[in-house]
Amino acid sequence: MKSSLLSLFLLSIICTTSCGHGEEDSFPTFPALPIPETLLFDNLLSFDYYHQRCPQLEQIIHTKLKQWVAKDHTLAASLLRLHFHDCFATGCDASILLNHEGSERRAEASKTLRGFQVIDDIKAEVEKSCPAIVSCTDILTAAIRDATVLLGGPYWRVPYGRKDSRISNAKDAEMVPSGRESITTLLELFQSRGLNFIDLVVLSGAHTIGRTSCGAIQHRLYQGLNGTSSMPNPPLDDHYLDFLQRKCRCASGDYVDLDATTPTTFDSQFYANLQKNMGLLSTDQMLYSDPRTSPIVNSLIGTPSLFIHQFSASMVRLANIQVLSGLDEAGEIRTNCNFVNPYNN
């Protein structure tokens, strides 16, 4: 009964952010936020921000991204991770893209991030059509939406108007969750950024696609959560653990799918895996055992469509973290995503 009530609660949230009007019995194929295009967000983001100044923006992003993913489908998941790292550090401001000594991009926590060249390629094409108009932050935000769609995930409309940061510090990259935190720590981190416990569970579902290195999960395979046990804590299915230990023997450079069952499909199987003790990351598996998050996991298992449609709503919320916008913000429109603009003397 508790799970059913939570499912209804989640559905009510989803339909206020993703469903069209009059869609009581079914979800629309492409959920869209029912907000008029002329209505501005509190931080001055709007859906029609580039309609006049760069009407071809979304077509450029879609075309370029489709070309890149066709050559390497793993880039789609990498872009999702890149966006999360950017937003969770100091807000969605493309500070992760700045490439200089001491930047977030050069930090140890960012060494496995990929997809920078995709954003650079899109930005170069956008600059040809709309010079000095579109921010790198907006490009990254729209690109991960299109990447999700290419993986079979939901479509959502992206409000635009973000500016790019002029500052990037390596120490800020340490603020991004590493996969070893407690659920309490994760909830506090998410709440400090305006996200809630539903966002935590749903955004963790991005691990339905993507991979991690064997080196990054050695602690998960050979010791407990506190380092005092030889068994994984939280537990792993015996057969799955045996497979992982054989694949990742000697901390090899191999990669492991985050979703052991349907790694190339954007679906809710990730949550069903947790029910079987097949959560690769400690933080993922703990979502199923913690009483604050397990009811949400169970609802997503019981009603798979909830994940698909709530994911779009949570991604919109993620992309709205501490954005730089408006005339009085310390941001700019970078002409090259790797560097701040040179000042004119």
Side-chain angles (χ1 to χ4, degrees), residues 4-81:
S4 298
L5 290 174
L6 183 59
S7 294
L8 291 174
F9 171 65
L10 284 170
L11 182 59
S12 69
I13 295 175
I14 292 166
C15 284
T16 62
T17 55
S18 300
C19 298
H21 299 294
E23 299 280 343
E24 296 182 358
D25 299 320
S26 63
F27 290 104
T29 303
F30 297 106
L33 296 172
I35 303 174
E37 292 186 355
T38 55
L39 181 63
L40 297 180
F41 284 67
D42 290 341
N43 51 23
L44 302 183
L45 303 185
S46 68
F47 292 120
D48 60 355
Y49 192 85
Y50 294 121
H51 279 192
Q52 297 297 321
R53 297 187 297 164
C54 194
Q56 62 274 53
L57 172 64
E58 293 210 349
Q59 184 58 51
I60 293 173
I61 294 174
H62 176 74
T63 300
K64 279 290 186 182
L65 189 61
K66 190 174 181 180
Q67 292 171 355
W68 277 95
V69 174
K71 293 185 291 184
D72 181 358
H73 74 276
T74 66
L75 281 170
S78 294
L79 286 169
L80 278 168
R81 184 165 177 252

